Amino acid sequence: MHVPTPHTPLPRRPFDRSSFVLSATLAILAVLTIYGFTTFDTNGVDMDMALDMLGDNAKTLFFAPGLSNVTIEGLLKNLGVTVALGFLTTVLGAVIGMVFALASALNLAPVWLSVVVKAFTAVVRAIPTVLWVLIFAVSAGLGSVAAVLGMTFHSAGYLIKAYAESFEEVDAGSIEALKASGADWWQVVGQVFIPSSRAALMSWTFLRFEINFSTAIAMGAAAGAGGIGFDMFMASGFYLNLREMGAFTYAILIFAVLLEYVATKLHTKTMQG
Amino acid sequence: MTILHVDNVRKTYGGNSYALDGVSFSVEKGEFVAIIGPSGAGKSTLLRCVNRLIFVTSGEVSVNGIAVTGLSNPSLRRLRRTIGMIFQHYNLVNRLTVLENVLHGRLGYKSTIAGTCGFYTASEKNRAYEILHAVGLHEHIYKRCDQLSGGQKQRVGIARALIQDPTLMLCDEPIASLDPSAAKIVMDTLRDINTRLGITVVANLHQVHVARDYATRIIGVNNGRVIYDGLPKDLTIDIIQKIYGSEAHDLILADGDTHGTH
């Protein structure tokens, strides 16, 4: 073996195009940010007063939450509506997602079918959920129906991709072994694909539920789908009640932390067994 | 009685090179055939042509007198359930228990719905337990397969093949990933299956000395062609040289020794 002498100079690192592009982009962004901050137009605004008011508002929002137009039962009920919207669209999306994932995983479906389904779902995912809701609102009217349809649509597109990728990671050897023993397509799905990717399927679905929960809040306001999002919209835009906004924010925060906790528990549990 | 008949089989993956280039041989019931040859000689392809995991380009393979190339899907399933197969990397479903993996061998006999959902009868479960007893894994039936050692996994693979009630057992490099003592247990189990249950065994082996010790007949393959087909005792160093080409020197040195294959 050739051992380099200590005096051999370190060879120059070869030019790497992607890391060059990355550092160039970061440098340009840094320059633009500094330029932006130094050339703010603050003529019409008294910055000291504005920052003062911002602090006051934040203080009311976060340190003096309270309810006035909505009762605590009303808040819980509307939080329930939002959770239900997120849950329903996740379940519907998961069912549709499972069917089409079976048709788009390359180790389960013929190539042409996989390409067609993957191209279609890529288009579905490229358009944001809010836009799908507005598109469905054309026929269903702005409201909960449009929200359910639009959110289901985007969830399905997302879960098809996530499920199909989990399926594609399944060990080709065990698929071959079961085929060799005479198992048919559905049996291979039920006995190899589902058990091998169960943990991944569960965590993708739960992650989508978390996304759908926050989308459901926004849809309550933007599409009039009801729930706690609509309450927030009323409190902020109609009553201008910062204390109530604070109460709603805390309610959502508590629920989100709860979701996160359950997700972590679920994940460790499925990983073990 | 002829169990397996391979007639002038060719296989190409496109292009001009053949993975199998006119292979012919017959296997009688009760034989223990070892197929030896260097890596890339076409051993794995040959084995997979038998149960049509790979479709032959030309030629014909018959198992128990049934030609495999023309079979419809349901008939192919019926044929496959009579052919057990074990693999170098065991190919178990690691997240399921030992018992569930063994029961997979029954899928070819079950309805789509029962098989998909994993509903097995009590007699099937008892049978699986008996077979696991026979291969010495009765204490591990509820363990997940990823908790087993390599040798144990391969014995689960053998149990999965046995519960099919096979007439023919295909073994694709069954001991290539095992240490010598685990390899011996697996090979002894295969010999047991062959002599006591009368199941015909066709095994791809990389180790010439193992093939000599266990097989009743050796087929040497190189470059997609059968170079040697005869008794283990007639396998001379010259023939090994012909089968393995430049690899032969290492093999002859390692012969009788524990020769690692990768």
Side-chain angles (χ1 to χ4, degrees), chain B residues 56-184:
Chain B
V56 298
T57 307
S58 70
E60 184 58 88
V61 177
S62 325
V63 178
N64 294 320
I66 302 165
V68 303
T69 52
L71 289 178
S72 66
N73 271 341
S75 323
L76 180 63
R77 274 189 75 196
R78 273 196 297 278
L79 181 75
R80 277 178 176 173
R81 70 191 187 190
T82 66
I83 307 172
M85 189 164 188
I86 62 172
F87 306 84
Q88 178 182 352
H89 299 293
Y90 331 119
N91 294 2
L92 307 173
V93 180
N94 279 327
R95 289 185 161 270
L96 296 181
T97 61
V98 168
L99 188 66
E100 285 169 307
N101 268 285
V102 174
L103 287 166
H104 282 164
R106 294 306 297 177
L107 288 173
Y109 293 92
K110 299 186 75 69
S111 74
T112 299
I113 292 182
T116 307
C117 303
F119 297 141
Y120 300 97
T121 63
S123 66
E124 281 170 329
K125 287 178 193 164
N126 286 333
R127 182 80 204 292
Y129 184 60
E130 275 169 29
I131 293 174
L132 282 168
H133 224 289
V135 296
L137 288 172
H138 52 285
E139 280 164 14
H140 306 288
I141 59 170
Y142 292 119
K143 259 192 195 165
R144 263 172 56 157
C145 281
D146 47 12
Q147 295 169 344
L148 300 179
S149 70
Q152 290 172 325
K153 283 182 183 175
Q154 193 59 289
R155 281 184 278 154
V156 176
I158 292 172
R160 176 174 67 185
L162 282 181
I163 204 171
Q164 289 176 236
D165 293 322
T167 53
L168 173 63
M169 187 88 149
L170 304 173
C171 312
D172 186 25
E173 303 279 3
I175 55 168
S177 302
L178 297 178
D179 63 72
S181 71
K184 186 175 183 311

Side-chain angles (χ1 to χ4, degrees), chain A residues 173 176 179 182 184 187 191, chain B residues 48 77 91 104 111-112 115 118:
Chain A
E176 183 184 42
K179 279 188 184 162
D184 64 21
Q187 291 175 340
Q191 292 299 314
Chain B
R48 280 167 175 74
R77 274 189 75 196
N91 294 2
H104 282 164
S111 74
T112 299

